[in-house]
């Protein structure tokens, strides 16, 4: 219900106080990227002002100091995901690069012609296209488990598709286009029983719910810091230690070697083997600050707050004429995707923008899912810990305005 804000953290986010289009900003495009709290902005600034040096190579004090900060960031990611050891965390540019690392290192070493990769019909393009490329190159097959009318994974169909040739299952923890929370624990059990590994795309999960990779028992878990109040260009891959340790290098160059000679090169242990070149050190420091910020606010409180906003928004949007919510799963996180009769989602996004309301309109990098629902795209409002009932009110007022402009009637 309106007014039920469990959290009021807007003051932590400088950008939220800037007007947009002369209006108070209601930023509801958090599925694309979140805004950054001052704690994150200050951490990156402080790194460059006080701690900047290259890591892992200097004998000098600053280099050691920067290395300590970098490794402290790894420990924070370990804590966030409840991985059992920091060596299971590889820093990457984000979700996309993490998936590519698994595809091109683990995939190329373990997939053979005739093998199968099983994904779901609600994956983001970044958990589709790399697998397609791998399958094309190796003569393997990409199978897709269908999605029900409510936007949930069809578990019976999923089970039927799991077979002796399935080597890996790729699944989004939370769908970025629908908000559906997938039953990852069950999926992992089924996949492991069939002898397949599981990669979980956590891009839309880590900022919204507590994640425990040991409890899930997944083999790979990937996310991007920028959807978790952290900087762009940084994220992580979690992989079970034994699986990671057996994986060959992917990107290569400096830092990832043990010894190099023209006769042959030996590689560093994990995770260093997968971090070729100078990494995004300041990004790791920013991500570390973001994780600490989220821990301090509390993920359970964040989840409850966002659930209240989602309930408020769902109820209010359903009161509009000609609305269809895409994704009505029983378990959803933070995302409201919908279409309005007679108004293209892009027009809706443009009209809302003039009211200071930022949403996403389009296919959300999930074109096969849009095809499944027979629509070109949706309007998507996605919530973060700093959103308020007032933001939801602004969204609904903007939608009413759009319907009036398009001559779609409201009583009175
Ligand atoms: N998977 C999901 C579910 C996502 O929402 C996104 C970002 N929209 C990605 C993958 C890709 O993340 P990135 O662009 O940060 O690599």
């Amino acid at each position: 219900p309106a007014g039920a804000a469990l959290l009021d953290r807007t003051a932590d986010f400088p950008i939220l106080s800037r007007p947009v289009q002369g209006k108070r900003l209601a930023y509801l495009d958090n599925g694309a990227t979140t805004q950054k709290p001052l704690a994150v902005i200050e951490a990156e600034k402080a790194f460059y002002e006080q701690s900047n040096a290259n890591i892992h190579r200097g004998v000098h004090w600053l280099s050691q100091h920067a290395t300590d900060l970098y490794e402290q960031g790894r420990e924070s990611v370990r804590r966030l995901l409840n991985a059992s050891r920091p060596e299971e965390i590889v820093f990457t540019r984000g979700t996309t690069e993490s998936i590519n690392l698994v595809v091109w290192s683990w995939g190329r070493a373990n997939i053979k012609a005739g093998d199968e990769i099983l994904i779901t019909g609600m994956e983001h393009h970044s958990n589709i296209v790399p697998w397609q490329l791998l399958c094309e190159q190796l003569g393997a097959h990409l199978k897709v488990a269908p999605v029900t009318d409510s936007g949930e994974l069809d578990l019976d169909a999923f089970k039927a598709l799991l077979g002796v040739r399935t080597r890996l299952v790729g699944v989004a923890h939370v769908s970025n286009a629908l908000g559906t929370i997938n039953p990852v624990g069950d999926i992992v059990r089924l996949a492991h029983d069939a002898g397949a590994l599981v990669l979980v795309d956590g891009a839309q999960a880590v900022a919204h719910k507590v994640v425990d990779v040991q409890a899930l028992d997944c083999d790979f878990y990937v996310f991007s810091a920028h959807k978790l109040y952290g900087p762009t260009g940084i994220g992580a891959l979690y992989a079970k230690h034994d699986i990671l340790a057996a994986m060959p290098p992917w990107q290569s160059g400096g830092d990832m070697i043990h010894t190099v000679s023209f006769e042959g090169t030996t590689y560093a242990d994990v995770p260093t083997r997968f971090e070729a070149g100078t990494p995004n050190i300041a990004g790791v420091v920013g991500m570390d600050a973001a994780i600490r910020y989220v821990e301090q606010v509390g993920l359970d409180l964040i989840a409850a707050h966002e659930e209240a906003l989602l309930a408020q928004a769902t109820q209010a949007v359903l009161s509009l004429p000609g609305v269809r919510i895409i994704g009505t799963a029983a378990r959803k996180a933070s995302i409201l995707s919908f279409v309005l009769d007679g108004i293209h989602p892009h027009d809706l996004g443009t009209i809302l923008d003039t009211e200071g309301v930022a949403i996403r309109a389009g296919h959300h990098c999930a074109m096969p899912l849009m095809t499944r629902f027979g629509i070109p795209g949706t309007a998507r409002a996605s919530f973060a810990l700093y959103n308020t009932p007032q933001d939801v009110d602004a969204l609904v007022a903007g939608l009413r305005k759009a319907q009036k402009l398009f001559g779609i009637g409201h009583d009175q």
Side-chain angles (χ1 to χ4, degrees), residues 26 79 82 91 107 130 192 203 229 245 252 266 271 293 310 335 340 381 411:
R79 216 170 48 241
N82 194 33
F91 291 126
H192 284 174
Y229 312 101
S252 51
T266 56
Y293 177 80
L310 180 63
I335 284 168
L340 288 183
D411 312 336

Side-chain angles (χ1 to χ4, degrees), residues 173-243:
H173 200 167
V174 175
S175 155
N176 69 306
L178 309 176
T180 309
I181 302 175
N182 278 312
V184 169
D186 296 339
I187 290 169
V188 170
R189 266 189 299 282
L190 290 165
H192 284 174
D193 284 350
L197 301 190
V198 179
L199 178 144
V200 182
D201 172 357
Q204 297 293 339
V206 285
H208 307 288
K209 64 202 297 301
V210 174
V211 171
D212 182 336
V213 291
Q214 292 186 75
L216 291 175
D217 197 30
C218 57
D219 304 285
F220 303 106
Y221 197 98
V222 300
F223 75 92
S224 305
H226 71 94
K227 295 178 199 279
L228 179 73
Y229 312 101
T232 52
I234 187 73
L237 161 69
Y238 156 82
K240 281 182 183 162
H241 184 268
D242 291 354
I243 295 172

